[in-house]
Structures are given as C-alpha cells and as structure tokens.
Amino acid sequence: MFSFVPYLYPRSKSVKEILFSSLAAGILVYLFLIIFQPFGTESFHHPYKYIVLFPYTLIFGSAFFISSLFVSQFKDWNIGYELMKILVILLLGSIFSYFYNTLCISHVKLSFENYGYMFLYSLAIGIPISTIYILSRYIYLKNIPENTALDVAPQPISNCEAPKEKVLKILGNNIELEVTEENFLYAQSMENYCNVYFLEDGKIKKLLIRISLSNILKQVETHSIKKCHRSYIINLEKVKDLKGNAQGYKLILPEIDFEIPVSRSFISSIIPQLQQSKR
C-alpha cells in the first residue's frame, strides 16, 4: 500500500522557491476558509470577518516556510520524509492557530480538548491541500527527465547482428533492448517497472520495461555502468560533473536536465572512480 513512500521527491532548492511555495500554501488555506467556510466559519459574524481570517494565511505559510527551509539541508529526500514534513507543518499550524483563535477571536479558556479540535480542523483543511501539493510535485519529479526524452515502443525479441561496440542486452517481460555501452545513459526504478534511458541517433530515448532494477544490473553492469542509488543505475562515462560532499553527491549528465543522486553506501565505490576518470 505504501510502496511509493521510498521514492525520491523534489525539494525546494532556493529560499525564493520556498517563499513562493509557502505563500501559495497560505493563500490556499485562506481561500479554503472563505469559500467553503467550514467548522462554524459560516456562522461567525464580524464586520471584518475576512480580515480576521487572514492571519491563518500567515500562520500556515510561516509553518510551511520554516519546515521547508529546515529540510532543504537534507539529502536523498523521499515521499515518506515529505509526508512527515507535512504533518509537522499541520502540527505547527494548528498550535499557532489555536492560540490565535483562543486569544484574539473566541476568547475561551485554554485547554487540551479545545486544541484537539483545532488540530482536527487543521488536518481536515490540510490533508486535501497537501494531497494536491504532493501529487503535483511528484508528477513533476517523474516528468523531469521525460521532458527531454522520446518514448520508444517496446519491440519483440529479435536476433540482430551485433555491432562492433559492446552491446548490452536487457531482457524483461518478453521485451529485449539492445544498446551499446557507449549509448546507455541510466536506468530508473519505478515500482515494478524500470525506465531505461539511452541515446539513439544522437537523441535521448526511453523504454519502460517490467523488470526490477537489480535484474537490470545483472545484465548491464560493467566497469563504467554501476548502481549509484537504490533507484538508479548510471553510466559513469556519461557523467559530466558531480556536486555535493560526503553527505551526499549528485551526478550530472549533459544530455538530461536532471541530477542523479548517489546514496552514501555507494559513495566509496562511485566517487573515487569518477574522480580518477576526470583527471
């Protein structure tokens, strides 16, 4: 049920992007309150009702900004971590909202019971908004490399005369892909499938195969083609640059607008080989 949790998830990389996302989150909360007027908001009468509700925008926007700024330092971010971040945002938002509502609007006695109601209200508002946010960002992540790649229709198994270059053969679910080692770029695990990216006539192409990443590795691993992450196999000869440090590296291929992560467990085998080849 939760097989999607370990998958990589895009984090905001700049303060500007975090600020923009926080502002959008706060505005969505405000729009939700004034349009649907849930939890008794409809019966709340005040000459400046919409102004009184506006601080909730600042509260949830600030909670989003603080949490996103904090996690921007982490490496190998995935959907599971993002879900925990959202929960922290809702927790912080509910705490600040409770104090604002109690001290400035309702003027009721502080109590854990009243806070419990506020936390449930925050979940009711935050879950649909967070679902839209997480899904849209996840789709964005999956489509980053695909924006520059052409889909390749699966071809039935056929016998071809091998070219002079070393040919890699990937066999899975009655589909056989033959690609030279020089043209192999990388493979990405997508649950029970893998996307294989390669060059053909100078253009990036992609083939979706029902196969595990470990099975692909058994068929294509060479001196230059290695597994660098639980979700990625990469051709080290295609790496143009790398950035990061011992806490986490990113590999950059000139053909794609996408940074491929290196897990800590693979740093000792991947990075020295790259550094040696770049000398």
Side-chain angles (χ1 to χ4, degrees):
M1 179 179 178
F2 296 100
S3 59
F4 62 90
V5 168
Y7 279 84
L8 293 176
Y9 188 85
R11 289 177 294 109
S12 299
K13 298 181 180 180
S14 67
V15 175
K16 182 179 179 181
E17 186 180 351
I18 293 174
L19 186 61
F20 178 80
S21 299
S22 304
L23 182 62
I27 291 175
L28 284 175
V29 170
Y30 182 66
L31 291 175
F32 190 91
L33 288 174
I34 65 175
I35 293 174
F36 298 102
Q37 301 198 32
F39 321 126
T41 305
E42 183 179 3
S43 59
F44 172 65
H45 301 291
H46 192 283
Y48 303 107
K49 177 178 179 177
Y50 296 127
I51 297 178
V52 172
L53 293 176
F54 183 74
Y56 290 110
T57 300
L58 303 179
I59 288 172
F60 280 93
S62 299
F64 191 100
F65 181 81
I66 294 171
S67 302
S68 298
L69 194 63
F70 177 74
V71 304
S72 63
Q73 310 170 46
F74 291 86
K75 307 294 182 182
D76 292 337
W77 197 250
N78 61 37
I79 294 180
Y81 294 145
E82 184 69 15
L83 291 174
M84 288 191 289
K85 187 193 83 172
I86 294 296
L87 184 60
V88 170
I89 291 172
L90 295 177
L91 180 63
L92 290 175
S94 66
I95 292 173
F96 293 132
S97 295
Y98 172 66
F99 282 107
Y100 171 68
N101 179 273
T102 301
L103 300 177
C104 302
I105 300 178
S106 60
H107 303 289
V108 297
K109 184 179 179 180
L110 294 172
S111 70
F112 284 108
E113 181 180 359
N114 289 335
Y115 168 70
Y117 287 121
M118 179 59 72
F119 181 66
L120 292 177
Y121 294 159
S122 299
L123 287 180
I125 296 176
I127 287 176
I129 295 175
S130 301
T131 300
I132 295 172
Y133 169 79
I134 290 177
L135 287 177
S136 61
R137 294 274 297 190
Y138 182 55
I139 293 171
Y140 166 76
L141 170 67
K142 291 175 64 177
N143 289 338
I144 285 178
E146 296 175 11
N147 289 336
T148 58
L150 299 175
D151 289 323
V152 180
Q155 300 295 327
I157 298 175
S158 59
N159 294 322
C160 302
E161 185 177 342
K164 295 182 179 179
E165 299 92 340
K166 182 175 182 179
V167 176
L168 306 174
K169 293 184 179 182
I170 303 174
L171 178 63
N173 196 29
N174 295 325
I175 296 173
E176 183 180 279
L177 170 66
E178 293 188 357
V179 58
T180 62
E181 181 178 1
E182 182 182 359
N183 286 331
F184 180 90
L185 295 177
Y186 71 100
Q188 178 187 20
S189 174
M190 305 294 291
E191 298 185 4
N192 296 324
Y193 293 82
C194 283
N195 271 324
V196 180
Y197 293 83
F198 57 96
L199 294 176
E200 186 175 281
D201 298 327
K203 295 182 179 180
I204 304 176
K205 294 193 175 182
K206 168 176 68 77
L207 179 62
L208 182 66
I209 305 175
R210 186 177 178 86
I211 188 175
S212 67
L213 195 70
S214 59
N215 200 347
I216 288 185
L217 185 64
K218 293 177 182 177
Q219 300 180 52
V220 304
E221 186 172 20
T222 65
H223 176 71
S224 61
I225 298 178
K226 303 286 185 181
K227 185 177 182 180
C228 63
H229 187 274
R230 62 186 172 192
S231 299
Y232 291 94
I233 295 171
I234 190 169
N235 187 347
L236 297 178
E237 293 295 329
K238 292 295 183 179
V239 176
K240 178 184 70 173
D241 197 8
L242 73 154
K243 62 181 184 180
N245 49 45
Q247 300 302 315
Y249 284 92
K250 302 286 185 181
L251 306 181
I252 301 171
L253 279 68
E255 292 86 359
I256 61 172
D257 183 23
F258 181 64
E259 297 174 357
I260 296 178
V262 179
S263 296
R264 292 185 183 181
S265 57
F266 293 102
I267 288 179
S268 60
S269 60
I270 297 295
I271 303 304
Q273 182 174 340
L274 272 176
Q275 293 172 336
Q276 181 71 25
S277 64
K278 299 300 179 183
R279 291 178 181 174

